[in-house]
Amino acid sequence: MSTQTRPAPAAAERDDTATPVLEMTGATLAFGARTLWRELNLAVRPGEFIAVLGANGSGKSSLLRAILGQQELTAGSVRVAGRPVRRGSRRVGYVPQRIAIDPVTALRARDLVRLGLDGHRWGPGVFGARGARSTVDALLESVGATAFADAPVSVLSGGELQRVRIAEALAGDPSLLLCDEPLAALDLAQAQSVVSLLDAHRHERGTAVLFVTHDINAVLGAADRVLYLAAGRFRLGTPDEVLTSAGLTALYGAPVDVFHTQGRVIVVAATDPGAGQHEHHHPELEEAR
Amino acid sequence: MIGPTSVSDVFNFSDYGSLIALLHNSIIAGAVLGLAGGLIGVFVMMRDLSFAVHGISELSFAGASLALLLGVNVVAGSVVGSLAAALIFGALGVRARERSSIIGVLMPFGLGLGVLFLSLYKGRAANKFGLLTGQIVSIDDPGLVWLAAVCAVVLVALAILWRPLLFATVDPEIAAARGVPVRALSPIFMIVLGLTVAMSVKTIGALLVLALLVTPAAAAMRVTVSMLWIPVLSVVFATVSMVGGIMLALGGRLPISPYITTISFAIYLACRLIGGVRTRRGWAARPSPAQPAPATTG
């Protein structure tokens, strides 16, 4: 099966009656006395782009781990494509936070994408290699990685490697793509091109995207909804609904100001009990917490 | 006074044809080991297990010496020692640093036990020395059948595990997300590695196992990064070292191991040189460090 011939589902038309790709019901996660989030209800439609925001330690990565079946919930349930999650799934693609690959690893960019395509299958994979090659080529082209397809991963820049990682995650044609801070090591231009790449892909293929990030501004143009985690609570809604002074003040239980300026959103907290590492009067650090 | 060493002690090709007929068992053994060792070496390199291989081989040596002392099957003793070491390293040392210290603790203990068992052994001295430096020349028909059977198990296991093991090795997080049993693969691989090490200890000796299980794969990774060519070259290098070493050693009076290790090392040196030139010239064609615009589809 080649990427080029796969029929694009009509999911991008935002059919509300479609089975949610991801459905979390009454999901609660607590470690001892510390509750990360409580009674989280989230239904993600095919093709939807959801930005997950929150301070360090607010449970963003744990949310992804719960969806991957690697973190047991304290209460509630997670269903992916209508079925309860198990450890590991072909329906879910994952772009991890750690993007570096051991520099001694002798591997080409295309080998990494090939692993994303059929690395979970038993057997040496020598048979059918030709068909796999054309699929891998198409994937590499779709993320603009053709030029360095045969380069060792150890010589790729952060932005190049992240493109390859995304191609690797998309290789299995997942219905849900989980991205854990994929922009962390990238400069602004690289971050923008990665986001627009994912945005184009979800419109084209109907892949829902759950995108954990520190910087809301990088995904503001793409995000349909925002899930903001803080202080053991959460807010879910469109960016305009969630990113308001009143909304975030209620969420943190402390005064928070949200400024919209030059198409960017700046979140400033006077005192910030929800954000672990607080700096007074330091707008850059407060941005998008 | 030490008598002068003549070249004919090192290389001597008189009566070569009849010698080859005599030692065809050894040559087959060398080729089989080259195949299994070259393939598993790829994962030894990628999983950073060189030190573990050395540790396993010392404990395998201890098992073999105990078997020699007790008068039971030496290969079985070697396999038991090897598997015990592989499982201990796999279970106790999940992180690389942890693993290194455990290997560093167990390896001298195993070597000491081996020396103890050998000193208590009253049999032929050649049997003792052979465990440390190899005795591929003396392999008999049952020995060859054993070797071939175990190597066949290793090869089948590697063929089945290849892709998931590679995935779990280079990208454990993504592999786990895709449903690859990353944690279960680790001890399974250690068992396969332990079997290979045990077979290598019996033939090229505990001290020189690395020349077969590490050097060929390390050399291959110097000249290519292709997932197809690394194992192919590694197998070629390992087999050339093994079979070439045996063929060269046939006429001389020296043990086989120095020939094998020297060929193996020479291949590595050559690959490093070639790899160095390639790195300076740049790897695959990359037009410029600038990001190419994402291809617009549709």
Side-chain angles (χ1 to χ4, degrees):
Chain A
M1 193 163 75
S2 139
T3 17
Q4 289 147 322
T5 56
R6 286 185 291 203
E13 291 161 17
R14 307 286 153 77
D15 182 2
D16 279 338
T17 59
T19 315
V21 179
L22 168 69
E23 198 171 15
M24 302 186 78
T25 319
T28 302
L29 183 64
F31 294 113
R34 196 164 72 96
T35 303
L36 291 177
W37 20 267
R38 185 190 304 280
E39 292 291 315
L40 176 60
N41 295 312
L42 172 66
V44 181
R45 295 183 302 265
E48 200 174 15
F49 194 119
I50 296 189
V52 181
L53 300 170
N56 287 338
S58 60
K60 303 190 298 276
S61 293
S62 302
L63 178 72
L64 296 194
R65 284 169 46 74
I67 298 167
L68 286 168
Q70 295 172 353
Q71 173 68 58
E72 195 117 350
L73 290 176
T74 312
S77 70
V78 189
R79 297 173 86 83
V80 171
R83 291 158 68 177
V85 291
R86 337 175 247 116
R87 188 176 274 270
S89 164
R90 313 272 147 81
R91 305 294 304 268
V92 180
Y94 178 48
V95 182
Q97 193 165 17
R98 183 191 66 96
I99 64 166
I101 284 194
D102 196 346
V104 301
T105 303
L107 205 69
R108 296 169 303 174
R110 70 163 62 254
D111 295 318
L112 209 54
V113 179
R114 173 79 196 272
L115 284 175
L117 184 67
D118 61 6
H120 58 280
R121 296 213 192 121
W122 305 103
V126 177
F127 311 103
R130 191 157 297 179
R133 189 182 166 93
S134 65
T135 309
V136 168
D137 280 338
L139 282 160
L140 284 164
E141 199 193 335
S142 74
V143 298
T146 306
F148 43 89
D150 291 309
V153 285
S154 54
V155 305
L156 298 184
S157 73
E160 288 170 340
L161 185 54
Q162 202 57 289
R163 285 165 176 278
V164 175
R165 289 284 203 182
I166 287 168
E168 181 187 359
L170 294 178
D173 197 21
S175 32
L176 175 64
L177 187 66
L178 305 176
C179 303
D180 193 357
E181 307 245 15
L183 311 178
L186 307 188
D187 64 33
L188 199 62
Q190 287 174 335
Q192 284 301 339
S193 80
V194 165
V195 170
S196 56
L197 182 75
L198 291 174
D199 196 29
H201 182 88
R202 59 120 179 185
H203 280 122
E204 192 187 324
R205 308 262 338 134
T207 308
V209 180
L210 209 59
F211 196 102
V212 169
T213 179
H214 265 94
D215 181 12
I216 176 64
N217 291 302
V219 294
L220 207 52
D224 298 317
R225 283 194 289 170
V226 170
L227 174 63
Y228 204 113
L229 304 174
R233 295 184 290 265
F234 69 92
R235 270 185 88 81
L236 178 64
T238 65
D240 288 340
E241 289 165 9
V242 174
L243 300 171
T244 61
S245 299
L248 292 191
T249 298
L251 180 63
Y252 277 106
V256 176
D257 284 323
V258 178
F259 300 106
H260 293 260
T261 169
Q262 295 181 357
R264 292 173 68 81
V265 175
I266 317 244
V267 179
V268 180
T271 53
D272 193 349
Q277 0 159 284
H278 172 66
E279 304 261 345
H280 286 278
H281 315 300
H282 206 310
E284 275 132 335
L285 280 175
E286 293 305 323
E287 191 173 297
R289 277 267 166 81
Chain B
M1 279 294 288
I2 301 162
T5 309
S6 74
V7 177
S8 68
D9 283 343
V10 185
F11 299 110
N12 184 351
F13 297 110
S14 54
D15 301 325
Y16 202 70
S18 55
L19 279 173
I20 284 199
L22 212 69
L23 289 173
H24 74 278
N25 269 8
S26 306
I27 291 168
I28 296 171
V32 168
L33 269 179
L35 183 59
L39 286 178
I40 208 153
V42 175
F43 288 108
V44 170
M45 282 299 293
M46 286 195 152
R47 296 174 83 90
D48 195 14
L49 289 172
S50 307
F51 193 42
V53 167
H54 197 42
I56 294 171
S57 71
E58 303 305 4
L59 275 112
S60 180
F61 161 70
S65 349
L66 181 61
L68 195 63
L69 179 63
L70 299 177
V72 296
N73 189 332
V74 175
V75 175
S78 168
V79 168
V80 169
S82 198
L83 289 184
L87 287 175
I88 292 171
F89 296 160
L92 294 185
V94 178
R95 287 194 214 106
R97 187 178 295 178
E98 235 172 52
R99 197 170 54 222
S100 290
S101 59
I102 288 163
I103 296 165
V105 167
L106 280 180
M107 194 170 71
F109 178 61
L111 201 53
L113 278 183
V115 171
L116 171 70
F117 298 144
L118 282 193
S119 350
L120 296 175
Y121 175 66
K122 302 290 182 225
R124 278 177 55 222
N127 287 347
K128 301 184 183 181
F129 199 52
L131 286 181
L132 281 171
T133 58
Q135 47 191 358
I136 198 167
V137 175
S138 63
I139 193 160
D140 52 8
D141 282 342
L144 184 63
V145 170
W146 262 102
L147 177 78
V150 174
C151 284
V153 170
V154 167
L155 290 176
V156 169
L158 278 182
I160 294 170
L161 297 177
W162 194 270
R163 274 185 292 181
L165 189 59
L166 187 63
F167 204 1
T169 301
V170 300
D171 233 348
E173 284 169 317
I174 297 183
R178 285 297 295 281
V180 174
V182 174
R183 272 184 219 170
L185 277 174
S186 190
I188 293 173
F189 175 72
M190 289 306 271
I191 290 172
V192 177
L193 178 62
L195 288 176
T196 318
V197 170
M199 291 303 105
S200 316
V201 165
K202 176 78 176 83
T203 46
I204 69 169
L207 297 179
L208 305 168
V209 164
L210 292 176
L212 173 65
L213 294 190
V214 172
T215 318
M221 286 181 184
R222 283 281 156 186
V223 288
T224 180
V225 283
S226 152
M227 264 306 106
L228 176 65
W229 286 107
I230 289 173
V232 168
L233 283 181
S234 178
V235 164
V236 169
F237 294 163
T239 311
V240 165
S241 310
M242 290 295 291
V243 176
I246 295 167
M247 307 265 262
L248 284 181
L250 277 188
R253 290 190 195 159
L254 303 177
I256 271 168
S257 329
Y259 295 93
I260 295 175
T261 51
T262 305
I263 296 176
S264 178
F265 183 63
I267 292 174
Y268 178 76
L269 273 189
C271 287
R272 257 204 101 104
L273 280 176
I274 298 167
V277 172
R278 252 193 111 166
T279 308
R280 269 199 301 283
R281 288 196 189 149
W283 282 86
R286 296 170 80 214
S288 74
Q291 291 287 324
T296 44
T297 41

